Structure formats: C-alpha cells, structure tokens
Amino acid sequence: QVQLVQSGAEVKKPGASVRVSCKASGYTFTGYSVHWVRQAPGQGLEWMGWINPHSGGPNYAQKFQGRVTMTRDTSINTAYMELSRVRSDDTAVYYCARGGVIGQLGSFDLWGRGTLVTVSS
Amino acid sequence: SYVLTQPPSVSVAPGQTARITCGGTGIGSKSVHWYQQKPGQAPVLVVYDDRDRPSGIPERFSGSNFGNTATLTISRVEAGDEADYYCQVWDSSSDHPNYVFGTGTKVTVL
C-alpha cells in the first residue's frame, strides 16, 4: 500500500527542538522528493521545504532557513523534519507529502495524515 | 514574494457548478495544482498541471489557467464536495524559489 506514515503528536516548550518522522512504503522512496507543509490552527497551508531522498540534499523555504533541518534514512525509507527554537506560533499540524519524480517539479500526490506539534510553556 | 489570492468562500447549491479562482501575476505561465481538504484530514490532490486529474478524482473536477487567473470548476456539486480548496504553484521568480499555496477557499454546499 502506497502511504506515508508520520510520527505521533508532540508537545514542546518554547526554545526546544522537535523532530517529526515520515515513513514511506509502497513505492521507491529514493525516486520522489519529500516535502514538508504545515498548517496552523484555522489557517492555510505553508510550504517549509523539501528533501531529495536519493542525494539527501535539502531545499528550505527562506522563512525557515537556519531553524529547520530535513534529513532521511534510506535504510528505513524515512524522512525527518527537525525544527529548532520553537515558538508558540510554530503550533501547527505538520504534513509530509510526496512530490514529483526526482529532477522534476510536480504536485504533491500523496500526503501523510499529519503530526500535531503544540508549543506551550 | 509571489502571492496567490483566492476568495475566502464560495456557496453553491447541490447539482450546480462551483468555480474557485486563484489569482496571481502571470499565473498562466505556471503549472497550477489544486487540493481539497476536509476538516481534520490531510489535503488531497484533485487537479495537477492546470487541468489533469489524478486517478480516482471524478470528471466533475476540472481546471483552467490563463493570464492572471487559474480556476477550479466543480460541476454537479455534491454534499461531499464541501471542503477547503487550495491552489499551488512553484515560483521561481525570486532569489529563493519556493512552492506557494493560495489563501484557500471554503466551499459550502447549501
């Protein structure tokens, strides 16, 4: 079954780091980009960046440069997104999504169910 | 940065046609993708590359893109189409290329 399975909800204090995982199955993990998108409560979708699972090379949205790190472990077909120095406005549902074939831009045709990250003191 | 503007809400009676616009400077030269998101669920791709449908998406969903406006059209609207809809493009016009999502449109079926 083609799917992305994300890790469970997290509660973090301001200033901490949070890592969300995204395990791919049913397709060739290294053949497609993996993107991260977040959605604050009652708000729209915000793209955070993507990783090339084949090379490991990331590409971050300017807003998150310096605070986000995207990595992958090809031995277990899993992508990770770590956000550091979290603030209350980082409270959101974080989604991973499959993008286009490596080397091509494309739409996001497969999404994880999302991981709620709550930042609260 | 590139901005995509959508109407906050669209209301439509069952069986009628809903049209959701996505405005952006020169959007006609970009590939536009559309997502449907129901409450508490992840987004689902309904149209990609302006007008193509993924397998499993009804033909009632169609797209167009010209000039400064892209449009998602839902024909013969059903109660199950009630959701938020987002457009998306890849913007390479700035020093920091990135994916951009529209502001989102809530479709209400009357």
Side-chain angles (χ1 to χ4, degrees):
Chain A
Q1 182 179 3
V2 180
Q3 60 180 352
L4 297 171
V5 178
Q6 298 186 223
S7 49
E10 302 266 9
V11 179
K12 295 293 181 181
K13 294 190 181 301
S17 295
V18 63
R19 191 176 81 156
V20 179
S21 68
C22 171
K23 183 174 177 58
S25 61
Y27 72 95
T28 302
F29 176 62
T30 53
Y32 297 81
S33 56
V34 174
H35 297 256
W36 292 90
V37 176
R38 76 176 186 178
Q39 186 171 37
Q43 302 301 307
L45 302 173
E46 181 175 33
W47 180 75
M48 300 180 68
W50 67 283
I51 186 168
N52 177 334
H54 179 72
S55 67
N59 184 349
Y60 305 137
Q62 186 177 11
K63 174 177 178 177
F64 299 100
Q65 292 268 7
R67 273 211 310 145
V68 72
T69 303
M70 296 177 187
T71 58
R72 94 298 188 217
D73 184 339
T74 56
S75 69
I76 54 172
N77 292 343
T78 299
Y80 302 92
M81 187 283 299
E82 182 169 8
L83 188 63
S84 63
R85 305 188 301 279
V86 296
R87 309 181 290 257
S88 58
D89 61 357
D90 291 319
T91 293
V93 175
Y94 289 76
Y95 294 100
C96 62
R98 185 177 76 172
V101 171
I102 296 298
Q104 299 180 15
L105 297 170
S107 55
F108 301 169
D109 66 346
L110 178 68
W111 293 67
R113 297 180 71 171
T115 296
L116 175 62
V117 174
T118 303
V119 181
S120 174
S121 55
Chain B
S1 61
Y2 193 73
V3 176
L4 294 175
T5 302
Q6 299 180 233
S9 62
V10 168
S11 298
V12 59
Q16 298 304 303
T17 298
R19 293 181 179 84
I20 305 162
T21 58
C22 175
T25 302
I27 195 173
S29 65
K30 304 179 185 298
S31 288
V32 180
H33 317 302
W34 290 91
Y35 301 87
Q36 175 194 69
Q37 186 181 32
K38 296 182 179 180
Q41 297 184 20
V44 172
L45 178 69
V46 293
V47 167
Y48 66 97
D49 292 348
D50 295 342
R51 60 181 62 250
D52 293 332
R53 283 185 312 278
S55 61
I57 299 301
E59 293 183 5
R60 301 185 298 103
F61 288 83
S62 63
S64 63
N65 185 17
F66 180 79
N68 294 317
T69 305
T71 303
L72 175 69
T73 301
I74 311 173
S75 304
R76 302 179 299 283
V77 166
E78 302 174 355
D81 298 331
E82 189 162 284
D84 293 327
Y85 291 82
Y86 296 90
C87 56
Q88 178 201 36
V89 301
W90 169 256
D91 173 46
S92 59
S93 63
S94 71
D95 291 339
H96 299 277
N98 62 332
Y99 277 98
V100 178
F101 285 98
T103 49
T105 297
K106 181 176 180 59
V107 170
T108 300
V109 181
L110 301 171

